[in-house]
Amino acid sequence: MLGNILGALALTVPVTGAPVTLKAPAEPAPTNVTVAWASPAHKEIVITWDETGDFRNQVALVNTAEPNSFVSRQIVAAGQPDRLVVKNDWNLLTSLNNFDAVFTVTAVDASGTAISEAGKSPVFDTATPPRPVLTSVLPGEDGTVKMTWTPGTAKPDTTPNDPLDAPADGPQQFVPYYIAGSADQPVPAGEPTTGTSFVVKAGIPTLFTVGVYAPNEWTDPVQPWSTSGAQVFLFDTRITATIPKSVPAGGKLTVTGKAIRKYQNCSRYICNTVQDEFAGRLLHLEARTGATGAWKTVATTNADKAGTFTFTVANPATADYRVVAPVAEGTSNGDKAALTYFATAPATVTAGSATGGGNTPGGDQPGTDQPGGEPGTDQPGGEPGTGGTGGGDSLPITGAPIVWISVAGGLLLLVGAAFFLTGRLRRRRTTFTA
């Protein structure tokens, strides 16, 4: 962060190098080197000093961990006030973020050679607030994403009461943000808040990352999340499914398909949307009787390594069926991604007919906002499942009881046998007579 400040000192290129060691300083070192904020906005830092004559001065920013080199420097010409204002901007902040630093002032000749020892300001720190911890990132079935966080644990102040310590104006504020599409730069999702939760609105196309950062006077204005932010990736789910239109009486309903994972992959500030097999994705097969009926989970499985899945339900009922990828909670502690909700369009299956019908593929379409199974806890890389099967949770069969169908069939067979025997006797008698 301090590197940015010094860059604003009017350096075309920040200079890094070892200060010149003097054999015999020709002039006294500048004294009373002070640093202070120019205003409560904390946008500029003022450096002042005293000297015994009128000299050309070099003002340098030094990381105290590397006292024999400087991060950046600027020359103040002779005849100018012994004062310099530097901007607390991107160049300064990225160079010395979260370090202890000091400004030095040295008298130099026309060639830049030091002619005095360096006078030093008090040491100050450029500490940003600790990163919050996102304890829960939970996508909603309606497309919203709720973030909940706790403030990070602050480290001990290495330079208590230094001249650039800014008094807190109030409770720590937090700024929620998101990253969407092919962008690599976050976008504020709302105004700064002192709360510890925020709901990202629905309707943001290709939403891939949500996060929150804690700002202060040393926060990088261009990439504030880089030093005091926490974020969680969102993995989008897409499902294609094939659901039969009908199932014979006493048969099994078999639903097959594939789960696809969609996410953002960034490399060197270039971001692309990636789609691949969603191995291990938790999936539910849901059913409802009637357009207004509640959805009920009738089978559960996990996609295999290739992202494919199979549901098998014994004695299915005539009902609407759909495949659902439930939401899964993410956290920044452990980098656990959040999984978004997806449901295929409902497909009606007629059960109990004598012959099967064609198949109805479930398209890659978002499902309606319906109550479904409980949120899953699966994550990519989990052990793939081997397919779901229906059991006691399957819906009851509707139609004539099987036992009456069996009795009626038996009677028809007896009648047919009687006619068959009568015909054979008649044919034999006719043939014998001839």
Side-chain angles (χ1 to χ4, degrees):
M1 309 242 336
L2 290 177
N4 291 340
I5 296 177
L6 292 179
L9 296 179
L11 287 175
T12 303
V13 178
V15 178
T16 301
V20 177
T21 301
L22 300 176
K23 293 183 179 179
E27 301 294 341
T31 59
N32 299 326
V33 181
T34 67
V35 290
W37 293 109
S39 74
H42 308 126
K43 299 298 184 182
E44 295 177 318
I45 298 174
V46 179
I47 304 105
T48 62
W49 60 93
D50 294 331
E51 57 185 353
T52 58
D54 185 9
F55 302 108
R56 192 169 184 258
N57 296 117
Q58 171 186 278
V59 180
L61 178 62
V62 177
N63 181 346
T64 58
E66 300 177 1
N68 294 324
S69 63
F70 39 76
V71 177
S72 58
R73 62 182 178 179
Q74 182 174 342
I75 299 298
V76 178
Q80 298 298 315
D82 294 335
R83 182 177 186 271
L84 181 66
V85 178
V86 298
K87 291 183 179 180
N88 182 19
D89 64 4
W90 183 86
N91 290 324
L92 174 74
L93 300 176
T94 55
S95 298
L96 281 181
N97 178 256
N98 286 316
F99 286 95
D100 292 348
V102 65
F103 279 104
T104 65
V105 181
T106 308
V108 296
D109 61 20
S111 65
T113 301
I115 59 175
S116 78
E117 295 284 0
K120 298 180 180 180
S121 74
V123 178
F124 58 93
D125 68 80
T126 62
T128 55
R131 296 178 187 274
V133 177
L134 281 164
T135 56
S136 173
V137 172
L138 189 62
E141 294 184 11
D142 59 356
T144 60
V145 180
K146 183 177 181 179
M147 297 187 290
T148 304
W149 62 86
T150 58
T153 302
K155 296 181 179 179
D157 189 350
T158 55
T159 62
N161 300 315
D162 72 58
L164 296 183
D165 274 349
D169 296 329
Q172 177 67 58
Q173 291 190 320
F174 301 93
V175 180
Y177 66 86
Y178 67 84
I179 304 175
S182 61
D184 69 321
Q185 301 296 314
V187 175
E191 296 296 323
T193 176
T194 58
T196 55
S197 66
F198 183 82
V199 177
V200 180
K201 66 180 181 180
I204 301 173
T206 57
L207 178 63
F208 290 127
T209 304
V210 295
V212 61
Y213 70 86
N216 76 350
E217 65 275 11
W218 297 114
T219 302
D220 184 343
V222 176
Q223 296 179 328
W225 61 93
S226 63
T227 55
S228 59
Q231 62 187 29
V232 167
F233 295 109
L234 299 177
F235 287 161
D236 204 2
T237 305
R238 290 292 181 266
I239 300 170
T240 56
T242 300
I243 303 175
K245 290 183 178 179
S246 61
V247 177
K252 293 182 178 181
L253 171 65
T254 301
V255 177
T256 60
K258 187 168 186 176
I260 299 296
R261 178 178 62 169
K262 188 176 181 182
Y263 60 99
Q264 184 190 62
N265 183 37
C266 297
S267 177
R268 295 185 178 182
Y269 304 105
I270 299 176
C271 296
N272 297 302
T273 300
V274 178
Q275 296 189 86
D276 58 18
E277 296 81 6
F278 211 153
R281 183 62 161 108
L282 177 67
L283 302 168
H284 297 318
L285 179 64
E286 295 183 350
R288 68 179 180 185
T289 53
T292 60
W295 287 103
K296 178 182 178 182
T297 299
V298 295
T300 298
T301 191
N302 291 84
D304 62 18
K305 293 180 179 179
T308 58
F309 61 86
T310 300
F311 291 106
T312 303
V313 179
N315 300 322
T318 295
D320 294 334
Y321 290 86
R322 69 179 183 180
V323 179
V324 172
V327 302
E329 184 180 60
T331 64
S332 64
N333 186 10
D335 295 329
K336 182 181 178 183
L339 309 183
T340 61
Y341 175 85
F342 185 87
T344 61
T348 301
V349 177
T350 302
S353 61
T355 59
N359 291 336
T360 301
D364 185 12
Q365 307 170 16
T368 56
D369 184 15
Q370 297 286 346
E374 296 181 357
T377 58
D378 58 300
Q379 290 293 329
E383 187 64 27
T386 57
T389 56
D393 288 339
S394 60
L395 298 179
I397 296 176
T398 58
I402 296 298
V403 62
W404 293 113
I405 295 175
S406 300
V407 171
L411 292 174
L412 289 174
L413 288 174
L414 291 175
V415 173
F419 278 113
F420 175 77
L421 291 174
T422 303
R424 286 177 59 84
L425 291 174
R426 288 177 179 175
R427 282 196 297 273
R428 285 178 181 179
R429 183 167 53 251
T430 301
T431 302
F432 178 77
T433 303

